[in-house]
Every structure is written in structure tokens, then in C-alpha cells.
């Protein structure tokens, strides 16, 4: 067994010796690590094809083995393409600047579109307040209401922004934006740029100033910024891993998008983007032939010579899907929309598209990440227990052989991804998130490729009551059954019916099945939605703030903060019911003391609109979002154990 482990140990030692000499931003360093990973991948796949396939014929082994090999090959192509694109990165922060336009009324005019359909008042109020409080000299805020709600019209007027509705909901979000583009195009003052915000994304004060500065380059059609979230996603919540595991989008926005930008293939992600108005006008507005109209905007603009660039700065804060159903719906919609793009005139193999080769290759990369990785992951659940229960040997190898060829790649690639991603990737948790979304993704792949037209846009619900435990039964039944079958296969093969001469391969199937059982167990716990106790997210802080009461001022320490109140550390707390003023992030906010604590007191911000405006702008202007320096395996493992057995 030590001989089988030796190549993997060599890979580990070589990586640990080499990586201290490398710098993340250097293309040569990134390409070196990615190149070695690719070589080890090719080594493994050569062995896989030449040594592990069953004899060709109409046998159960062959009928399972060859499709599995082809699926695995497709997923390896996806890995190779991802390594290629991750071999570069770019940081545009030094180019994004705040200059005189931040206060100049003659600055380029920006129309800010807040797209909404059925979101609740508390969500929209935050977004409108944030949007109307941006530090930029010349912009208009429009609420685009596809719900045609009278209360929202009144709220928009109260908060000083413009309201726009249309008579129907044709083409969903894309149609809503296009209606607004047509409206502002008929005004005396036409915009230079359009900024897109989803209903739950609150922009920071410097959002426009920084993104507009990158539009000085006339070849830029879109400036995309990342999506950051004020709340944990359902995987974080249901596994009680909020403090040790980042939301699933951090790898995409923090690592993959800067890498795509370095290759010139960054793309629009809808919300939190700034788009050149004349470019949109030239392509006829947002395309409506995909439910992911944002990606398609980039492709159509690229065909007109306008590129998309990516500014990796936290310039807006939104809501992650709060429930598992919403999370799955969102991933399914993304996949469906991309399949529609693949089948459309801007697809990677389209003869009519004017896209350059690198953009087509990027589209193939995205396609393979959906259409190859997810089927391979599901296939990997089935293959080991087919052997354990029925003796179907799809992979003609034993555990020691697999370790010799697969372990070096697995070790090097895993460490390379950890290094490239600054600790934002962990293989086990990636497998977990893929399994959660897999049923919806597989359905979207099939329907999107076979029937690309006629699909409705499915809104990701935000807000609502989240205070009760809820079980996502369809998903739990599917993966609970898979877990039972996996455990039954282990019990049958190794307890009830030990397979004699096949025990070597049984060792491979056993290790494979045990890993699957672990992942499936965790997925089953993810399916049990945990209640969310707080309506407003609360963040731990440690900073001095100025308090004012009865004309006197003194400093206290801010312990935690939400948009509705705060807890402060103060050796001389005021009496309960006292009215005080807190100065938070440069804004004076009226508050009432609601209780004393062992080390201070807690306050509730007053309910008046002026106070809410100040509180929301102060909250979203601060650094009140969870930041992750990197995933550490031990804390993640501890959190999972506590969730499973605590």
C-alpha cells in the first residue's frame, strides 16, 4: 500500500516545496501549477482509458463502464478548461478611481434601474434608500415595477426616486428593462449609462463613481462588479457553517471572474453592473431569447466591438437565496438560460456569430461545467454500488492501482485550486453544492438543449417568513434513498456476501461508497431547513462610536449592529427608555435604549423615515459583510460534525 501512496506523497512534497516561491498574481506561477495539474490529469486519463475499461461487448460491465468513462472524460475536459482560464488573473481596482465626477452635476448621466416583481417593502426600501444616497453628481433612480403596486409608487415618491410600470410582464426582467430603456430614450436628457440593480441589492455610495471611471475607455460596454451577500445561503445555514464556510458564489466572483477578465471574456451578471446606453440601443436592448439575458448582453455587445470588464470590489450588497428551494430554482434558471444561449445564434458553434475564438472557448468552458460535471457527479453515486450489489465491474482496477494514478492528480489539483482560489475551494463542499442543485440542473440541461424556446423566467423569491424548520422532501427522498442503497451495498458485499477474489476491487468500491455515504449524509442534513431567528442580519463589530444624550457626548464601543438597532459596550449605560443619538459611519441616528446588558446596553433605532434612511445608508456604507480570508478544513469539519451529531 505504501508503494501505491508514494506518487501522491511525492506530489504533496513537491507542491509544498514549490508554492512558497510563487506569487498569486503572476501568470507564470499560476500557469506552472495549472500545467502540472493538467499533466497529472492526462497521466491519469491515459491509464483510465488503456487499463481500466471492461472488454468491449454486450455485457453489463461494458454497458456501464463505457458511458461512465465518456462522462468522466467530459468532466476532465471541463477541469482542463477551468485550469486554462485560471492561469491568469487581473485586478482593476487601481484603475477605478473617484474623481470630480462624484460631485459634478455635469458628469455623464446614469439611469439606475431597480428591477422588481414581487419583493416585499422592507427589501425594496433598503435598495431605494441606498440607490438614492450614492455619491455621484448626475444620476436618476427608477423603480421598474412589474408588480404594478400602488404602495410601491407611493414609496418611490416618498424616497425621491422615479417609478415606472408597464401594462404586461412580457419577457420578464429583460422586457422590464427594455421598457425602461425605451422610456428614458424618449426623454430630453438621455442617459450615457444604465446601472442595473436587482430589488435586493443595495449599492454602496461609491458604486457609480468607481464604475463610471472605467467607462472612459470607449471599448468598454459593461462594467460588472461582484455580488456580495448580507445573509448566509441555505447550505451555510442548514449546516451551521456560516462562520467557517463562505457562500457558494465567492469562488465565482472572487476568483473565476477576475480570471475570465484577464482573458477578455468576463461577462455581465445582471445586477450590480453598469452598461453603456448606446451599446444597449445598438443591440436592441436586453436580448429576450434566454432567461439569462445578462450573459447574452455581453455576447451581443462583444459582436459589436464592446467588451465587458470586471471590477472586483464590494460595491453592492444583496440577499443570497434564503431557502433551499429558491437556491435550487436559481441554479436551474442559470443552467437553462445558458443552454438556450448554446442553442442560439450566439452559441459557441454558431456559424452566424461574430464572436472570436476565445469567447467561444469560454462558452464551451461554461457549457462543460454544467453539462459534463453534474452528470459525472451523479454517475459517480451509482457505479460503486452497482458492483457491490450486482457485481457490475465498470472500472477494471483495484484500490492500489487507482491510488498510483489518481492520487497524485487529486492531491496536486486540490492544493492548486486552494492556492489559486486563496482558500475558497474545498473539494468535499464543492461536491455537496453540486449534488444539491443536480436534479434541477440535469432537468435544465435536457429541456434547454431539446426545447430552447418557450420557458418562463422563474423569479428567485426573497424575504418572507423563515422562522420555522422546513424539510425539502423531494430532495431528501432522492438522496435519502441513494444513501440507503449505498449503505445497503456496503453491508451486502462486506457483511452478508464477501466477494472472495473480487475483494481488491471491493476495496475501491468500499472507499468510494464510504465517501459517497458521507456526502449524501451531509446533503440530507442540508435538506432540513433550519429556522432563521433574525429578520434583520446582525454583525459583530468592535469600533468606537460617538453617543449624544441631553446635549452631552461621550464615546462607547459598538458590539454589534443591524439596520434596526445596535448593542453597545459602555460602563455607564443610560436608563432604559432614554433617547440618544448614535453617530455611525458619519451619520447621526436617533435611537431609544431598550435594555441593559452585563457590559452595556442595546438600542432600537427610531421608526421614522428619516431615521431609517440614515440607519440604512450607514449600515450599507460600512464593512458589515462577512469576509473570508480562506477556508480551513478543520473548522469546516468541526462544524459538520456538530451539525450531524450535535
Amino acid at each position: 500500500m505504501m508503494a501505491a501512496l508514494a506518487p501522491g506523497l511525492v506530489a504533496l512534497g513537491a507542491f509544498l516545496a514549490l508554492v512558497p516561491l510563487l506569487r498569486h498574481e503572476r501568470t507564470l506561477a499560476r500557469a506552472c501549477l495549472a500545467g502540472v495539474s493538467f499533466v497529472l490529469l492526462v497521466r491519469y486519463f491515459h491509464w483510465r482509458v488503456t487499463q481500466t475499461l471492461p472488454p468491449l461487448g454486450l455485457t453489463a460491465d461494458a454497458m456501464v463502464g463505457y458511458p461512465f468513462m465518456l462522462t468522466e472524460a467530459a468532466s476532465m475536459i471541463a477541469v482542463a478548461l477551468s485550469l486554462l482560464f485560471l492561469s491568469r488573473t487581473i485586478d482593476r481596482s487601481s484603475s477605478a478611481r473617484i474623481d470630480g465626477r462624484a460631485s459634478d452635476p455635469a458628469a455623464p448621466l446614469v439611469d439606475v434601474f431597480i428591477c422588481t416583481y414581487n419583493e416585499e417593502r422592507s427589501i425594496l426600501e433598503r435598495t431605494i434608500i441606498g440607490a438614492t444616497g450614492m455619491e455621484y453628481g448626475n444620476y436618476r433612480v427608477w423603480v421598474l415595477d412589474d408588480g404594478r403596486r400602488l404602495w410601491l409608487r407611493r414609496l418611490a415618491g416618498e424616497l425621491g426616486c422615479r417609478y415606472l410600470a408597464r401594462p404586461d410582464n412580457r419577457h420578464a426582467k429583460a422586457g422590464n428593462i427594455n421598457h425602461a430603456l425605451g422610456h428614458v430614450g424618449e426623454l430630453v436628457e438621455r442617459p450615457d449609462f444604465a446601472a442595473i440593480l436587482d430589488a435586493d441589492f443595495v449599492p454602496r455610495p461609491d458604486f457609480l463613481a468607481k464604475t463610471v471611471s472605467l467607462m472612459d475607455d470607449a471599448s468598454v460596454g459593461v462594467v460588472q462588479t461582484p455580488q456580495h451577500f448580507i445573509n448566509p445561503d441555505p447550505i451555510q445555514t442548514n449546516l451551521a457553517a456560516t462562520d467557517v464556510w463562505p457562500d457558494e458564489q465567492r469562488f465565482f466572483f472572487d476568483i473565476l471572474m477576475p480570471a475570465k477578465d484577464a482573458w477578455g471574456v468576463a461577462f455581465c451578471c445582471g445586477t450590480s453592473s453598469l452598461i453603456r446606453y448606446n451599446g444597449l440601443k445598438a443591440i436592441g436592448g436586453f436580448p429576450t431569447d434566454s432567461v439569462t439575458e445578462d450573459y447574452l448582453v455581453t455576447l451581443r455587445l462583444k459582436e459589436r466591438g464592446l467588451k465587458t470588464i470586471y471590477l472586483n470590489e464590494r460595491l453592492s450588497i444583496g440577499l443570497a437565496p434564503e431557502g433551499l428551494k429558491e437556491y435550487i430554482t436559481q441554479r436551474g434558471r442559470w443552467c437553462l438560460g445558458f443552454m438556450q444561449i448554446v442553442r442560439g445564434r450566439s452559441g459557441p458553434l454558431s456559424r452566424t456569430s461574430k464572436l472570436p475564438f476565445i469567447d467561444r472557448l469560454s462558452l464551451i468552458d461554461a457549457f462543460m461545467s454544467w453539462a459534463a460535471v453534474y452528470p459525472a457527479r451523479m454517475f459517480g453515486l451509482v457505479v460503486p454500488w452497482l458492483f457491490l450489489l450486482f457485481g457490475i465491474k465498470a472500472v477494471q482496477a483495484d484500490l492500489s492501482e487507482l491510488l498510483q494514478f489518481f492520487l497524485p492528480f487529486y492531491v496536486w489539483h486540490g492544493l492548486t485550486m486552494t492556492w489559486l482560489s486563496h482558500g475558497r475551494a474545498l473539494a468535499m463542499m464543492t461536491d455537496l453544492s453540486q449534488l444539491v442543485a443536480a436534479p434541477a440542473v440535469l432537468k435544465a440541461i435536457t429541456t434547454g438543449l431539446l426545447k430552447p424556446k418557450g420557458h418562463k423566467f422563474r423569479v428567485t423569491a426573497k424575504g418572507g417568513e423563515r422562522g420555522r424548520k422546513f424539510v425539502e422532501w423531494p430532495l431528501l427522498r432522492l438522496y435519502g434513498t441513494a444513501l440507503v442503497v449505498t449503505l445497503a451495498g456496503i453491508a451486502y458485499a462486506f457483511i452478508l456476501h464477501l466477494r472472495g477474489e473480487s475483494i481488491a476491487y471491493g476495496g475501491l468500491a468500499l472507499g468510494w461508497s464510504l465517501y459517497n455515504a458521507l456526502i449524501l449524509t451531509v446533503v440530507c442534513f442540508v435538506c432540513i431547513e433550519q429556522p432563521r431567528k433574525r429578520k434583520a442580519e446582525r454583525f459583530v463589530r468592535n469600533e468606537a462610536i460617538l453617543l449624544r444624550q441631553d446635549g452631552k457626548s461621550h464615546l462607547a464601543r459598538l458590539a454589534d449592529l443591524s439596520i434596526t438597532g445596535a448593542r453597545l459596550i459602555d460602563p455607564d449605560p443610560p436608563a432604559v427608555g432614554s433617547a440618544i443619538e448614535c453617530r455611525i459611519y458619519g451619520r447621526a441616528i436617533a435611537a431609544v435604549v431598550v435594555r441593559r446588558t452585563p457590559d452595556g446596553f442595546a438600542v432600537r433605532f427610531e421608526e421614522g423615515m428619516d431615521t431609517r434612511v440614515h440607519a440604512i445608508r450607514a449600515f450599507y456604507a460600512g464593512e458589515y459583510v462577512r469576509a473570508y480570508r480562506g477556508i480551513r478544513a478543520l473548522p469546516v469539519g468541526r462544524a459538520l460534525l456538530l451539525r450531524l451529531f450535535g
Side-chain angles (χ1 to χ4, degrees), residues 525 638-646:
F525 274 87
R638 189 182 305 116
L640 293 180
L641 288 174
L642 288 173
R643 178 69 182 94
L644 298 180
F645 304 109

Side-chain angles (χ1 to χ4, degrees), residues 201 343 377 399 615:
F201 270 82
R343 286 291 311 275
R377 190 68 196 88
L399 182 60

Side-chain angles (χ1 to χ4, degrees), residues 215-287:
M215 286 290 190
D216 290 344
D217 181 350
S219 68
V220 175
V222 180
V223 178
Q224 180 64 55
T225 67
Q227 297 175 16
H228 286 268
F229 306 107
I230 201 167
N231 62 311
D233 68 29
I235 293 179
Q236 293 175 294
T237 300
N238 297 344
L239 292 181
T242 299
D243 296 326
V244 297
W245 172 254
D247 66 84
E248 190 230 1
Q249 293 284 14
R250 291 282 48 83
F251 176 81
F252 176 82
F253 282 109
D254 296 351
I255 307 301
L256 182 59
M257 282 292 282
K260 291 275 189 177
D261 191 20
W263 286 90
V265 292
F267 51 89
C268 179
C269 301
T271 187
S272 311
S273 61
L274 183 74
I275 308 177
R276 194 175 295 275
Y277 174 77
N278 285 339
L280 282 173
K281 185 178 178 181
I283 63 173
F286 271 68

Side-chain angles (χ1 to χ4, degrees), residues 310-449:
Y310 183 68
L311 176 59
N312 191 16
E313 292 190 16
R314 185 188 302 152
L315 296 177
S316 64
I317 306 169
L319 290 173
E322 296 163 287
L324 200 60
K325 184 176 181 180
E326 293 78 15
Y327 176 94
I328 294 168
T329 296
Q330 186 182 69
R331 270 60 181 175
R333 185 182 74 243
W334 291 345
C335 179
L336 173 63
F338 192 81
M339 296 305 117
Q340 291 174 312
I341 291 173
V342 168
R343 286 291 311 275
R345 70 172 182 85
S346 298
L349 304 180
S350 171
R351 294 181 180 180
T352 59
S353 174
K354 298 178 182 179
L355 291 172
F357 171 76
I358 191 64
D359 287 273
R360 293 173 184 263
L361 190 63
S362 180
L363 285 168
I364 292 172
D365 170 44
F367 173 75
M368 297 300 286
S369 70
W370 290 114
V373 172
Y374 283 84
R377 190 68 196 88
M378 296 297 282
F379 219 145
L381 293 179
V382 177
V383 168
W385 54 254
L386 283 179
F387 171 76
L388 296 179
L389 289 173
F390 307 110
I392 298 174
K393 198 170 184 178
V395 182
Q396 305 280 316
D398 60 31
L399 182 60
S400 62
E401 289 177 305
L402 180 73
L403 290 174
Q404 289 181 53
F405 290 92
F406 181 70
L407 189 61
F409 163 71
Y410 185 81
V411 168
W412 187 277
H413 182 65
L415 292 173
T416 295
M417 291 301 293
T418 299
W419 187 82
L420 290 174
S421 68
H422 296 271
R424 286 169 174 79
L426 191 63
M428 175 183 172
M429 298 299 282
T430 300
D431 289 344
L432 168 66
S433 61
Q434 288 173 350
L435 283 179
V436 168
V441 167
L442 294 177
K443 179 181 178 183
I445 292 170
T446 305
T447 57
L449 292 178

